Amino acid sequence: MSSLLQLNKMREYFLSGATRPIAFRKQQLKQLRQSILQYEGALNEALYKDLKKSKEEVWFSETGLVLSEINYFLKQIDDLAAPRRVSTNLINMPGKSYVMYEPLGVVLIIAPWNYPFQLLFLPLVGAIAAGNCIVLKPSEITTATEAVMQQIIAETFEPYYVSYVTGEGAAVIPEMMQQFKFDHVFYTGGTAVGKIIYRLAAEQLTPVTLELGGKSPCVVTPNADLKLAARRIALAKFSNAGQMCITPDYLLPHQSVKDTLVALLKETINKFYGEQPVESYDYGRIVSKKQFSRLMQYLHQGKVLAGGTHNEELLYIAPTLLEVTDTSLPIMQEEIFGPILPILTYNDDNEALQIIRQNPDPLAFYVFTNNKVEADDWLQQVPSGGACVNTVARHYLNKSLPFGGRGNSGIGRYHGAYSFETFSHQKAVLKAATWPDPTFAYPPYQGKIGIFKKLIR
């Protein structure tokens, strides 16, 4: 693991000012881009070994997203880092006011196993662009990908600039955070561990970004295009074998469209993955036996409408549709994080809202309807980290949108310019004129209330 000595060297390097020049940041991003391209084949092999991801899925959901983020910052970093002029109020005239973006310092980025490359390197790109030194802690579960990423970091960066920490997260992370005061901690993962990270950070008043999860609902109204809904729901739900934080965690179709939607979902799953998804080039695997065993418990908490087949040796669970009627069951209280889609129904909007509010503030909310007024009403009724109308999870791919949770699903945001803001301090700066220097600004103040009321309003 990264020793205290190593962390102190990173602090010294940051304080030297070496990471501040924009030219330096651009050069680091270019080097990282070159290294990712050099190791593209190795990353494809590693992610197939860890999660059975095809090279197409790796590009779409892992390497391609990171390379796109690098390209974005190489084009936009000059504008993002430039001081931003703001208006100056009357009492400070004549003067100049602006917001100055300065790097935070030494930041810690902790990533999960479901998208092990993208969820480590995407925030890394933002932290580099903002001028920080970075400690990276990948998941120890996806061992093949962890090894390739370690090689990329070692060959691209000096260890006092970007440090790569391996080992069991439960042991490594608390020790680091107790020994050393980071300037920011960026964590992606489950809520339970997120609370631990939050407590550790609070001990040192370290700001955090927590990208968590939750039970993201997907409502399908009677006004929806059901064929479209089936395709887009199935694509997001069963990509990476359902191991995605913004996948629909449960489906809430109106009672009048439920049977038709289920039939279309079955048909769509067959088109996507064939009659034997275990043989499909495009269908992934559960990451570990521990996760497999956890998911298997959910299969007995409802009526299987499709799928349900499984193979522990292959870490395979088929795309599964599960009819559920009891919202108190664990499958409706816990984030599933697998290829099992519970399906409930509702008869009126209030009934659906009551179900959704049992697990408030989901990371994402999805609604399918061709009625604009209805769509806007649903967006107003359901607080969530992000939302989509007539699609699922695609908001994550838009760098112009902030990505993050609220309440139980997280704190903070990132992607594109929002990553730059997350890893920067926005310093308020006022450059005051030395003339004039009116005497009314100084004591004694008696009798000046009229002037103050005119200036401060």
Side-chain angles (χ1 to χ4, degrees):
M1 70 171 277
S2 183
S3 66
L4 181 59
L5 178 62
Q6 173 70 19
L7 291 168
N8 286 332
K9 285 184 177 179
M10 297 183 77
R11 174 73 69 202
E12 291 174 9
Y13 184 66
F14 173 76
L15 292 175
S16 74
T19 67
R20 288 179 177 265
I22 301 302
F24 173 85
R25 306 183 202 183
K26 287 182 177 179
Q27 183 58 34
Q28 305 310 308
L29 291 172
K30 289 176 181 176
Q31 290 174 192
L32 180 58
R33 180 173 62 185
Q34 182 58 39
S35 294
I36 293 170
L37 291 170
Q38 178 184 341
Y39 280 91
E40 183 181 351
L43 285 167
N44 288 341
E45 292 176 8
L47 285 159
Y48 184 87
K49 184 175 182 180
D50 286 331
L51 290 157
K52 199 184 173 293
K53 292 187 181 184
S54 68
K55 62 183 179 181
E56 290 83 2
E57 184 173 356
V58 169
W59 178 263
F60 182 79
S61 66
E62 302 261 12
T63 51
L65 287 181
V66 174
L67 290 168
S68 175
E69 190 88 345
I70 292 173
N71 293 336
Y72 168 85
F73 277 114
L74 288 173
K75 293 176 182 178
Q76 301 295 332
I77 190 172
D78 292 290
D79 290 338
L80 291 170
R84 177 169 54 87
R85 284 290 298 271
V86 296
S87 62
T88 301
N89 60 344
L90 187 59
I91 198 170
N92 284 313
M93 294 291 288
K96 295 180 180 179
S97 303
Y98 59 92
V99 177
M100 175 181 172
Y101 291 89
E102 60 183 15
L104 295 176
V106 182
V107 302
L108 171 62
I109 298 172
I110 307 165
W113 50 260
N114 57 323
Y115 292 90
F117 176 78
Q118 181 240 126
L119 291 176
L120 186 69
F121 277 61
L122 206 66
L124 167 64
V125 171
I128 290 173
N132 299 282
C133 290
I134 305 104
V135 177
L136 298 172
K137 175 61 183 77
S139 170
E140 64 275 12
I141 295 174
T142 43
T143 55
T145 308
E146 180 190 44
V148 177
M149 294 191 299
Q150 184 172 21
Q151 200 164 359
I152 291 173
I153 296 300
E155 294 182 9
T156 307
F157 304 113
E158 295 293 343
Y160 47 77
Y161 172 49
V162 179
S163 177
Y164 192 89
V165 178
T166 60
E168 183 71 30
V172 170
I173 293 168
E175 185 175 347
M176 276 197 300
M177 291 183 66
Q178 289 164 355
Q179 287 182 341
F180 183 80
K181 179 174 171 53
F182 289 97
D183 297 289
H184 194 90
V185 175
F186 189 106
Y187 168 80
T188 304
T191 301
V193 176
K195 290 179 180 179
I196 297 172
I197 299 295
Y198 202 7
R199 284 194 291 268
L200 289 167
E203 288 294 322
Q204 305 218 41
L205 294 180
T206 297
V208 298
T209 299
L210 300 177
E211 297 293 343
L212 308 177
K215 297 195 72 63
S216 297
C218 181
V219 171
V220 182
T221 78
N223 297 309
D225 181 332
L226 298 183
K227 288 185 178 180
L228 178 86
R231 286 196 302 270
R232 295 183 176 179
I233 291 167
L235 174 64
K237 178 60 186 180
F238 302 116
S239 175
N240 198 29
Q243 297 166 121
M244 177 167 60
C245 62
I246 51 173
T247 194
D249 205 78
Y250 59 98
L251 193 58
L252 263 177
H254 189 271
Q255 180 65 46
S256 64
V257 299
K258 178 247 188 178
D259 290 342
T260 302
L261 181 62
V262 168
L264 288 168
L265 281 167
K266 291 178 181 179
E267 180 182 322
T268 302
I269 291 168
N270 186 269
K271 286 181 179 178
F272 285 178
Y273 306 114
E275 294 183 1
Q276 298 294 330
V278 68
E279 300 172 358
S280 172
Y281 172 84
D282 294 300
Y283 190 67
R285 293 294 181 269
I286 308 305
V287 71
S288 67
K289 287 189 176 182
K290 178 181 178 181
Q291 292 298 322
F292 179 91
S293 298
R294 181 185 64 82
L295 290 167
M296 286 301 297
Q297 297 175 20
Y298 295 137
L299 289 178
H300 307 292
Q301 296 177 20
K303 178 184 177 183
V304 175
L305 301 178
T309 57
H310 49 85
N311 185 314
E312 183 175 6
E313 184 179 351
L314 298 176
L315 294 177
Y316 165 79
I317 298 176
T320 299
L321 307 178
L322 197 70
E323 187 173 46
V324 176
T325 56
D326 186 352
T327 59
S328 68
L329 291 170
I331 194 169
M332 289 303 300
Q333 298 295 320
E334 303 165 358
E335 185 175 12
I336 296 171
F337 224 69
I340 302 169
L341 181 60
I343 301 175
L344 300 88
T345 58
Y346 72 97
N347 290 297
D348 61 71
D349 293 358
N350 286 331
E351 183 182 358
L353 287 169
Q354 288 177 6
I355 294 171
I356 293 170
R357 288 168 182 165
Q358 291 181 31
N359 294 281
D361 300 323
L363 183 56
F365 168 67
Y366 307 115
V367 58
F368 283 83
T369 175
N370 285 328
N371 184 308
K372 181 182 182 301
V373 173
E374 184 176 52
D376 290 342
D377 184 60
W378 276 106
L379 292 174
Q380 292 289 337
Q381 291 283 348
V382 181
S384 62
C388 294
V389 177
N390 291 327
T391 193
V392 178
R394 291 297 183 91
H395 63 300
Y396 188 86
L397 304 178
N398 186 351
K399 287 186 286 292
S400 297
L401 290 173
F403 180 80
R406 57 170 290 166
N408 293 325
S409 58
I411 299 169
R413 57 187 187 171
Y414 74 122
H415 287 188
Y418 302 101
S419 289
F420 191 87
E421 292 179 355
T422 288
F423 290 109
S424 300
H425 171 66
Q426 298 180 42
K427 180 189 286 186
V429 179
L430 172 68
K431 286 188 175 179
T434 57
W435 184 90
D437 190 32
T439 57
F440 66 76
Y442 302 100
Y445 291 131
Q446 188 174 8
K448 298 179 181 178
I449 186 67
I451 297 175
F452 292 162
K453 285 185 176 182
K454 289 180 180 179
L455 292 175
I456 303 173
R457 56 186 177 184

